[in-house]
Amino acid sequence: MIPRFGDSIRPNQRYQRRPGAYAIIQRGNLVLLTFQAAPVPELQLPGGGIDPGENPLPALHREVLEETGYRIRVTARIGAFRQYNYMPEYSIWAEKICHVYLATPGPRVGPPTEDGHIALWMPLEEALDHVPNEGGTQFLRSRRARQLL
């Protein structure tokens, strides 16, 4: 069973399934996060939605490059989590299935190409205090992630 984090399910709300792929990218004691200015300013794990017909790993590489400007090397899939929430940028209620991977940074090929994103390296312990997504922080804290990093 995939653990669920975040808002409670609204009983009479229809949700659209929205799979996504996210990465914990570490260099030394630093992790790479992306600051997203809109629709809600926040720090988050790099990654995002898997487009129809797209597989998770190509989606992850695309999303990380768009949000951070970095290429990555994926080393392991560490799990998944589920969350139900409203996505104002798409005007949908979503059942998000978030696949989480470990990765190492490759070369930075340029700035983020996705509007309103800034790539930030942050100490892991500080990142735990600033990433508001409960699922993301759970995986940052996970024993499996720390063993593989």
Side-chain angles (χ1 to χ4, degrees), residues 21-23 25 46-48 54-75 101-104:
Y22 300 86
I25 304 164
E54 189 176 34
N55 289 317
L57 286 177
L60 180 64
H61 285 275
R62 175 184 53 75
E63 286 283 349
V64 170
L65 185 62
E66 290 172 356
E67 294 180 357
T68 69
Y70 280 90
R71 296 199 185 280
I72 58 170
R73 184 175 71 82
V74 175
T75 57
Y101 296 85
L102 292 177
T104 57

Side-chain angles (χ1 to χ4, degrees), residues 31-55:
V31 293
L32 181 61
L33 301 175
T34 183
F35 172 78
Q36 174 181 300
V40 176
E42 67 181 7
L43 285 171
Q44 52 188 248
L45 295 178
I50 300 169
D51 292 336
E54 189 176 34
N55 289 317

Side-chain angles (χ1 to χ4, degrees), residues 71-88:
R71 296 199 185 280
I72 58 170
R73 184 175 71 82
V74 175
T75 57
R77 180 183 182 277
I78 58 171
F81 66 94
R82 180 185 318 261
Q83 66 185 49
Y84 294 83
N85 59 358
Y86 183 70
M87 298 179 72

Side-chain angles (χ1 to χ4, degrees), residues 94-125:
E95 173 192 9
K96 294 179 71 175
I97 308 295
C98 306
H99 302 275
V100 182
Y101 296 85
L102 292 177
T104 57
R108 186 162 195 204
V109 297
T113 58
E114 197 163 313
D115 287 341
H117 282 76
I118 300 169
L120 298 169
W121 287 98
M122 185 177 287
L124 176 60
E125 294 306 318

